[in-house]
Amino acid sequence: MSAPATTTTRLDALLITGALLGANAASYVLTIAAARALAPAIFGELSALLALVVIGVVPAMSLQTVAALRVTNLGPRPLFGLGLSVSAGMTVLTLALVPLLARLLHLDGPWPVVWLALSLAPLTVLGVLHGLLQGTQRFGALALLVSLEGLGKVGGGVIGLWLSPSSASVLAGTAIGSFLVVLTGWRLCGSPRPARPAGGAEVMHASQAMLALVLLVNLDLVLARHQLAGQAGGYAVGAVVTKIAYWLPQAVGVLVLPRLADADDRRRMLPKALAVCAGLDVFVIAGCALFGPLGVSLIGGAKYHGDAIPLWQFALMGSCLALVQLLLFSRIASGDRRSTVAVWIAVAAEVALITLWLNGSVGQVVTGALLATAGLVVAGTVIEARGTRACIEV
């Protein structure tokens, strides 16, 4: 690789990393502002609704993955048409579930869920716009759109919070801010007009894979809350480190994903990408192993000082999740569905390990989650190696 190409790649990595970190930091700003401005009951209501948003954006993640992999052979117009179709479907489905969700979450009225549905519409379209920029390797424009998305969602949510201290107002601000960002993203992508949708079957496959990954990333916190009761706060402190280790190498996946569409590029790039992800997280794992008690105090404060929280295990789990994501991207690119099945098996294994055996302490629960995730890395590597070997033989 030439020196100018290497410099460009490093600049792209810095831009994407900065944009992702900024967007995630902005989400924390909204959470902190809401926690301070809302009554505890209303904040709990908003937190539950935002958790539904995380599930609701799985189709957006799938659209981004498919668009990044297929834009060169499908073109932007059919993919943009697909994004609009999926967005409309998600909105209609969520609106149909308004009575059920309002009752399930014990809401006083339907408007919080209505605004939730309206916020999912632009977020789903943004998924395909991200993928179009990613697939054409316009990483500077992608970094700008990611930054604007964080600003639009959080800025709109904060303005809604300022106008009225309610979950409906926050979600209304988020929806409006996200719609404005969609207009900007559409212009950045060259203002494509929608054409007959293409790639729907691939999006369905990717959605199953992404849903399984989202569950795997977040499931341990739910299980810890159920099994540990009074120790769940300590587990949440450790989970912050898991998210750090998971998100730190995210730029690697963003940069590499378009190259995975080609089998030869995939064979060359994937081992390097896996090594870079692992290398970045080595520093997090080593720091947690050496300065674990200090890290616990910095994250959770003095009330967690002295608690037995094995931060290095949380860091290792986050690193494994980052590797799982890359391996999953590779198999989605190749059309191989075995990795998707493997992720669902890992989800079931984690539930079984923690529910039946490893549930007596923070250390035991994270060990159960780590065993399931590390086992998935091994399984994913074996599946990747066999898929690569079969491709070479053909």
Side-chain angles (χ1 to χ4, degrees):
M1 185 180 291
S2 64
T6 302
T7 302
T8 301
T9 301
R10 288 174 178 172
L11 178 59
D12 289 339
L14 287 173
L15 289 172
I16 294 295
T17 299
L20 290 171
L21 288 175
N24 283 307
S27 297
Y28 283 112
V29 169
L30 177 59
T31 301
I32 292 170
R36 293 175 179 271
L38 299 176
I42 302 299
F43 179 63
E45 175 185 302
L46 178 62
S47 297
L49 289 163
L50 292 177
L52 291 178
V53 172
V54 172
I55 298 172
V57 297
V58 166
M61 297 165 61
S62 308
L63 282 166
Q64 179 176 350
T65 302
V66 171
L69 290 168
R70 305 296 182 233
V71 65
T72 53
N73 57 3
L74 291 178
R77 293 181 61 195
L79 288 168
F80 185 58
L82 178 65
L84 293 178
S85 300
V86 175
S87 173
M90 283 297 300
T91 304
V92 170
L93 175 62
T94 310
L95 288 173
L97 293 174
V98 165
L100 175 64
L101 292 175
R103 190 178 303 113
L104 180 68
L105 299 177
H106 306 291
L107 304 178
D108 293 332
W111 285 108
V113 186
V114 171
W115 282 113
L116 168 66
L118 296 178
S119 68
L120 288 177
L123 293 176
T124 304
V125 177
L126 279 169
V128 77
L129 296 177
H130 286 166
L132 293 177
L133 294 174
Q134 188 178 356
T136 52
Q137 300 188 46
R138 296 177 57 199
F139 295 115
L142 177 60
L144 175 61
L145 183 57
V146 170
S147 300
L148 290 175
E149 182 182 352
L151 184 63
K153 287 194 301 184
V154 173
V158 169
I159 291 173
L161 184 64
W162 176 66
L163 291 174
S164 174
S166 67
S167 57
S169 182
V170 172
L171 289 169
T174 297
I176 294 169
S178 299
F179 270 112
L180 295 176
V181 177
V182 165
L183 295 176
T184 304
W186 179 68
R187 296 297 300 271
L188 284 173
C189 290
S191 306
R193 295 183 179 182
R196 184 177 179 177
E202 291 181 90
V203 170
M204 287 296 294
H205 169 219
S207 293
Q208 295 178 51
M210 291 297 106
L211 178 59
L213 182 63
V214 167
L215 283 175
L216 195 65
V217 171
N218 296 283
L219 183 62
D220 61 316
L221 266 172
V222 177
L223 293 172
R225 174 68 180 176
H226 177 69
Q227 297 289 343
L228 296 178
Q231 301 180 63
Y235 195 94
V237 169
V240 172
V241 174
T242 299
K243 295 300 190 293
I244 291 171
Y246 176 59
W247 283 107
L248 180 62
Q250 286 296 300
V252 177
V254 172
L255 295 173
V256 168
L257 181 59
R259 305 282 297 275
L260 299 180
D262 180 79
D264 291 333
D265 274 351
R266 188 161 62 244
R267 280 198 301 272
R268 288 194 300 269
M269 295 298 299
L270 184 62
K272 297 176 183 178
L274 292 170
V276 171
C277 282
L280 288 171
D281 276 336
V282 160
F283 297 100
V284 182
I285 297 167
C288 290
L290 293 172
F291 307 107
L294 176 62
V296 170
S297 296
L298 288 174
I299 296 169
K303 58 182 173 294
Y304 294 102
H305 181 71
D307 284 9
I309 303 174
L311 283 192
W312 71 270
Q313 287 185 258
F314 285 95
L316 182 57
M317 184 168 65
S319 181
C320 287
L321 288 168
L323 299 179
V324 164
Q325 180 173 262
L326 271 177
L327 290 165
L328 191 59
F329 282 161
S330 176
R331 291 297 88 200
I332 291 173
S334 71
D336 187 346
R337 311 209 168 184
R338 289 175 296 174
S339 284
T340 302
V341 175
V343 180
W344 282 110
I345 291 173
V347 169
E350 183 172 316
V351 172
L353 284 169
I354 295 174
T355 303
L356 300 177
W357 296 290
L358 299 171
N359 51 34
S361 66
V362 169
Q364 285 191 9
V365 172
V366 72
T367 297
L370 180 56
L371 285 172
T373 309
L376 181 57
V377 172
V378 174
T381 303
V382 171
I383 292 170
E384 181 65 34
R386 289 180 176 175
T388 302
R389 190 181 306 119
C391 185
I392 293 173
E393 290 173 355
V394 171

